[in-house]
Amino acid sequence: MIAIASRKEVAELAGVSEATVSRVLNNVGPLKEETKQKVLAAAKELGYVPSSLARSFARKRSGNLGVVMPYLPKARLFSAYYFSEILSGIGSKAREEGYDLLMLFRDPDGTLDYSGMFGMRKIDGCIILGAKDEPEELHALRHIRDEGQPFCVINQHFEGEGFFEVDADHEVGSWQAVKHLIQQGHRKIAFLNGPPEYSNSRDRHNGYVRALKEEGLEWDSTLQFKGNFSRRSGIQAAAGMVAVLDRIDAIFAANDRMAIGLQQGFREQGIPDQRIPAIVGYDDSDAAELTNPALSSVRVPFYQLGEIAASRVLQMMEDGTSSELLREPKQIKLPTELVVRASSSP
Amino acid sequence: MIAIASRKEVAELAGVSEATVSRVLNNVGPLKEETKQKVLAAAKELGYVPSSLARSFARKRSGNLGVVMPYLPKARLFSAYYFSEILSGIGSKAREEGYDLLMLFRDPDGTLDYSGMFGMRKIDGCIILGAKDEPEELHALRHIRDEGQPFCVINQHFEGEGFFEVDADHEVGSWQAVKHLIQQGHRKIAFLNGPPEYSNSRDRHNGYVRALKEEGLEWDSTLQFKGNFSRRSGIQAAAGMVAVLDRIDAIFAANDRMAIGLQQGFREQGIPDQRIPAIVGYDDSDAAELTNPALSSVRVPFYQLGEIAASRVLQMMEDGTSSELLREPKQIKLPTELVVRASSSP
């Protein structure tokens, strides 16, 4: 019998999504018996037969979308706003398309064998979070790129590699934060940045320097501080700033957790509220609204980053190497937005 | 050659964990080449050979621990403190044992085919979150119980089914919260509970009623309110309470999100701060410390719930039906702790 009906027509007759039709006909993943029967009946009625090649190809699939998580010892990974929002975005897209998420944890002693994950059919596609600019990571990513596997890196840029990457524009985001502090009349603006292995730390540094320059301010090495994105590292940074507090008008922190740590740290050091510098955080997490004073912050569309990365990888998985995506720009940068609250305005 | 060396000896010689030895010898999941070689060399040196039966059995494994998530349309699942803490606990144990987490999302139109997940070797064991006391769910759980699959239910009790369950003692937790409000001199204590399909809503109700009774107070149906655990439902409940606010001294809310929604809702309704009733939330989430006034709450050891559930399921996966766990109590209830902050104390 010749397949004259389209997948779309089968979906309409059965009253299900096209993705569900594919999953039933390709026998991918668990499905309700009732749904199966509806789809099979509709396919039969319309004389729809997918090609056996497509079917056997599809049978090799796991039905899993991999998400690579960073190794952070003892950290409560899912509790960080950053990861939980991105994962929620990825999860919602995966669920829509009938895929399950496989969370892959990096070893403390190295990166994952991404290629092996595909080879052993644990995953059909992959989204990589918390990648660092390090040789082992780059090697593993080049390997799957050269194999033509569908994958996307979130929030990390590898120059000249042609990976699919989805990120927010952290240079502009940081520029927005520092520009705002300068407009509030501050001149001596300290910067608490994250670790330099992340490209987004470099982006933030560039935005900070650019805003200073535009206003004719000098970059001052004694106003640079480093944390690891934890609240604790913000508390520690505050302790280090106390001795030079007369030389600091305002602070830009690379995420909200560190910014909240700064607020807390200054109080622990006995600094009166009116002497605590103006502070702008980054991420605009749930906590920013709840802290006292409420924290100004740079809103990053994490949920959308996850959604877009998942959409692209799922699309590549569906299309294979013929994907039109391959002709699109490979780097997507979403805009950020400054949210001003009491911590940086009178 | 007879296997005279134990897995433990191989692990010690190779300088890796016993779990890693198993994974190398059973060829489960991706492993670093260097680790593989170390383990194989140690096994050879000690003359260790696992039984071929064990090996072929092990080869059928996926290396995945399944985590079933509830269907909550458009909710940012991972962003809820409750889920993210439990997942972090599960993830840390899975990572220790070299397993990956497979996140399984329920369909909007029904429960998952748990049995099929095992049958198709997507998972080797399973932890179920957000289960409801409904016939379909119960049917699916009985099925995998009867098949002898390793699984555990978190935060839901099914009476008389003999499932492995890990939960916190929500009856005592709620009793602690209400007892505290009464000790503060409050008599008219409203209760904003979650949906009744969850056994932990019933537990909270029982704790609330028990505390009232002990103090000779009557249960008052007009002081009972229902939300769905979202902040929005707390805001809505506040709007409903405004008309009867002269009859409410204090409120116990079944989670922090709803409690924070109440605080917000009363302010939106123009209620002056000193007329907002005393409030105790539940979960002791990150946000409780940050809100204004800081929220009294009942601390639930979510991270430990996840760790314990994962430990048990991983142990059952390792031992098979010979597991000593089968002789242990199947229900574990961890204790809760009341944390008093400004929202309920003068």
Side-chain angles (χ1 to χ4, degrees):
Chain A
M1 189 182 281
I2 298 160
I4 43 166
S6 70
R7 189 178 70 155
K8 196 173 169 195
E9 288 168 296
V10 177
E12 278 166 7
L13 183 60
V16 300
S17 70
E18 286 189 58
T20 302
V21 172
S22 294
R23 301 196 71 201
V24 171
L25 296 176
N26 298 319
N27 202 20
V28 175
L31 285 155
K32 288 181 73 179
E33 194 53 38
E34 189 194 330
T35 310
K36 257 187 222 171
Q37 294 309 332
K38 268 197 298 194
V39 171
L40 292 174
K44 199 175 169 191
E45 191 176 329
L46 294 170
Y48 176 84
V49 182
S51 82
S52 65
L53 188 68
R55 207 162 49 207
S56 71
F57 176 75
R59 279 216 180 108
K60 287 190 193 151
R61 293 189 172 183
S62 66
N64 298 336
L65 173 62
V67 180
V68 177
M69 304 290 287
Y71 179 79
L72 294 173
K74 287 196 188 154
R76 302 194 177 182
L77 261 189
F78 293 99
S79 306
Y81 181 80
Y82 168 87
F83 289 110
S84 62
E85 282 288 301
I86 291 177
L87 283 173
S88 293
I90 295 172
S92 78
K93 277 289 161 198
R95 191 166 49 185
E96 270 176 30
E97 299 293 327
Y99 279 86
D100 299 307
L101 288 193
L102 187 67
M103 313 297 300
L104 306 163
F105 300 103
R106 283 197 177 84
D107 266 345
D109 56 345
T111 51
L112 273 168
D113 174 9
Y114 301 133
S115 171
M117 292 285 177
F118 283 97
M120 284 185 278
R121 289 184 201 137
K122 289 202 74 159
I123 54 174
D124 305 330
C126 185
I127 296 172
I128 293 155
L129 303 182
K132 290 181 192 173
D133 193 354
E134 287 175 349
E136 278 198 335
E137 180 79 37
L138 192 53
H139 178 78
L141 291 173
R142 282 175 176 163
H143 195 153
I144 52 172
R145 177 197 60 197
D146 297 344
E147 288 178 341
Q149 307 290 8
F151 75 100
C152 182
V153 177
I154 291 188
N155 211 10
Q156 174 72 29
H157 176 58
F158 292 91
E159 191 63 36
E161 298 292 337
F163 301 150
F164 277 93
E165 295 170 355
V166 179
D167 204 349
D169 195 333
H170 299 298
E171 182 171 336
V172 170
S174 304
W175 174 88
Q176 289 168 326
V178 177
K179 196 89 177 174
H180 157 70
L181 287 170
I182 297 170
Q183 281 162 356
Q184 295 289 314
H186 304 302
R187 320 304 290 169
K188 295 174 286 186
I189 298 166
F191 180 26
L192 174 55
N193 201 0
E197 302 85 58
Y198 298 108
S199 63
N200 57 72
S201 295
R202 298 194 295 271
D203 293 343
R204 286 191 183 84
H205 174 82
N206 293 342
Y208 166 80
V209 170
R210 178 148 71 93
L212 291 183
K213 272 200 182 152
E214 281 181 14
E215 301 285 339
L217 298 172
E218 290 281 319
W219 181 81
D220 179 347
S221 66
T222 66
L223 296 182
Q224 311 303 307
F225 297 84
K226 209 178 83 182
N228 64 3
F229 292 129
S230 70
R231 187 161 62 151
R232 181 160 303 278
S233 71
I235 294 174
Q236 283 161 355
M241 288 178 189
V242 166
V244 290
L245 207 54
D246 56 330
R247 299 182 35 240
I248 296 176
D249 294 337
I251 309 167
F252 169 48
N255 75 345
D256 286 352
R257 296 204 145 197
M258 292 198 292
I260 291 168
L262 285 172
Q263 291 181 326
Q264 208 177 325
F266 285 128
R267 288 207 181 104
E268 283 177 13
Q269 298 287 330
I271 307 297
D273 281 6
Q274 66 277 16
R275 282 206 54 216
I276 294 179
I279 298 177
V280 177
Y282 203 95
D283 287 350
D284 195 34
S285 53
D286 286 343
E289 258 186 288
L290 300 172
T291 188
N292 185 21
L295 184 68
S296 297
S297 191
V298 176
R299 184 169 295 165
V300 178
F302 290 116
Y303 188 84
Q304 285 74 19
L305 290 179
E307 277 193 321
I308 290 173
S311 287
R312 297 189 99 190
V313 172
L314 290 165
Q315 186 69 43
M316 287 188 265
M317 282 155 57
E318 191 77 14
D319 299 348
T321 47
S322 69
S323 181
E324 292 204 7
L325 281 176
L326 299 173
R327 286 193 290 278
E328 282 185 24
K330 294 201 161 183
Q331 269 81 41
I332 294 184
K333 277 200 180 184
L334 302 187
T336 58
E337 184 195 346
L338 178 70
V339 181
V340 177
R341 299 195 182 88
S343 72
S344 71
S345 66
Chain B
M1 188 182 284
I2 298 161
I4 42 167
S6 72
R7 189 179 72 155
K8 195 173 170 195
E9 289 169 294
V10 177
E12 278 167 7
L13 183 61
V16 299
S17 70
E18 285 188 57
T20 302
V21 171
S22 294
R23 300 196 71 199
V24 170
L25 296 176
N26 298 320
N27 202 20
V28 176
L31 285 154
K32 288 182 72 180
E33 195 53 38
E34 190 194 331
T35 310
K36 257 186 222 171
Q37 294 309 330
K38 269 197 296 193
V39 170
L40 293 174
K44 199 175 167 192
E45 192 177 328
L46 294 170
Y48 176 84
V49 182
S51 83
S52 65
L53 188 68
R55 207 163 47 209
S56 72
F57 175 75
R59 276 216 182 108
K60 287 189 193 151
R61 294 190 170 182
S62 66
N64 298 336
L65 173 62
V67 180
V68 177
M69 304 290 287
Y71 179 79
L72 295 172
K74 286 196 189 154
R76 302 194 178 183
L77 260 190
F78 293 98
S79 305
Y81 181 80
Y82 168 87
F83 289 109
S84 61
E85 283 287 301
I86 291 177
L87 282 173
S88 294
I90 295 172
S92 78
K93 277 290 162 199
R95 192 165 49 185
E96 270 175 30
E97 300 291 328
Y99 279 86
D100 299 307
L101 288 193
L102 187 67
M103 312 297 300
L104 306 162
F105 300 103
R106 283 197 178 84
D107 266 346
D109 57 345
T111 52
L112 273 168
D113 174 9
Y114 301 133
S115 171
M117 292 287 178
F118 284 97
M120 285 185 278
R121 290 184 200 135
K122 289 203 74 160
I123 54 174
D124 305 329
C126 185
I127 296 172
I128 293 155
L129 303 183
K132 290 182 193 174
D133 192 353
E134 288 176 347
E136 279 198 334
E137 180 79 37
L138 191 54
H139 178 78
L141 291 173
R142 282 176 175 161
H143 195 154
I144 51 172
R145 177 198 60 195
D146 297 344
E147 289 178 341
Q149 307 289 9
F151 76 100
C152 183
V153 176
I154 291 187
N155 212 10
Q156 175 72 28
H157 175 58
F158 293 90
E159 191 63 35
E161 298 293 337
F163 301 150
F164 277 93
E165 294 171 355
V166 179
D167 204 348
D169 194 333
H170 299 298
E171 182 171 335
V172 170
S174 304
W175 174 85
Q176 289 168 327
V178 177
K179 195 87 176 175
H180 155 72
L181 287 169
I182 297 170
Q183 280 162 357
Q184 295 288 313
H186 303 302
R187 322 302 290 169
K188 296 174 285 185
I189 298 166
F191 180 26
L192 175 55
N193 201 0
E197 302 85 59
Y198 299 108
S199 63
N200 56 72
S201 296
R202 297 195 295 271
D203 293 343
R204 287 192 183 82
H205 174 82
N206 293 341
Y208 166 80
V209 171
R210 178 147 71 93
L212 292 183
K213 271 200 184 152
E214 281 181 14
E215 303 284 339
L217 298 171
E218 291 280 320
W219 180 82
D220 180 347
S221 67
T222 66
L223 296 182
Q224 312 303 306
F225 297 84
K226 209 179 82 182
N228 64 4
F229 292 129
S230 71
R231 188 161 62 152
R232 180 159 304 278
S233 71
I235 294 173
Q236 282 161 354
M241 288 178 190
V242 165
V244 289
L245 207 55
D246 56 331
R247 299 183 35 242
I248 296 176
D249 294 337
I251 309 167
F252 169 48
N255 76 346
D256 286 352
R257 296 204 145 196
M258 292 198 293
I260 291 169
L262 284 172
Q263 290 181 327
Q264 209 178 323
F266 286 128
R267 289 210 179 102
E268 284 176 13
Q269 299 286 331
I271 307 296
D273 281 7
Q274 66 278 15
R275 282 206 54 217
I276 295 179
I279 299 178
V280 177
Y282 204 95
D283 286 351
D284 195 34
S285 54
D286 286 343
E289 258 186 289
L290 300 171
T291 187
N292 186 21
L295 184 67
S296 298
S297 192
V298 177
R299 183 169 296 163
V300 178
F302 290 117
Y303 188 84
Q304 285 74 18
L305 290 180
E307 276 193 322
I308 290 173
S311 287
R312 297 188 100 188
V313 173
L314 291 165
Q315 185 70 44
M316 288 189 265
M317 282 155 57
E318 191 75 16
D319 299 349
T321 47
S322 69
S323 181
E324 291 203 8
L325 282 175
L326 299 174
R327 285 193 292 277
E328 283 184 24
K330 295 201 160 181
Q331 270 81 41
I332 295 184
K333 277 200 180 182
L334 301 186
T336 57
E337 185 194 345
L338 177 71
V339 181
V340 177
R341 299 196 181 88
S343 72
S344 71
S345 66

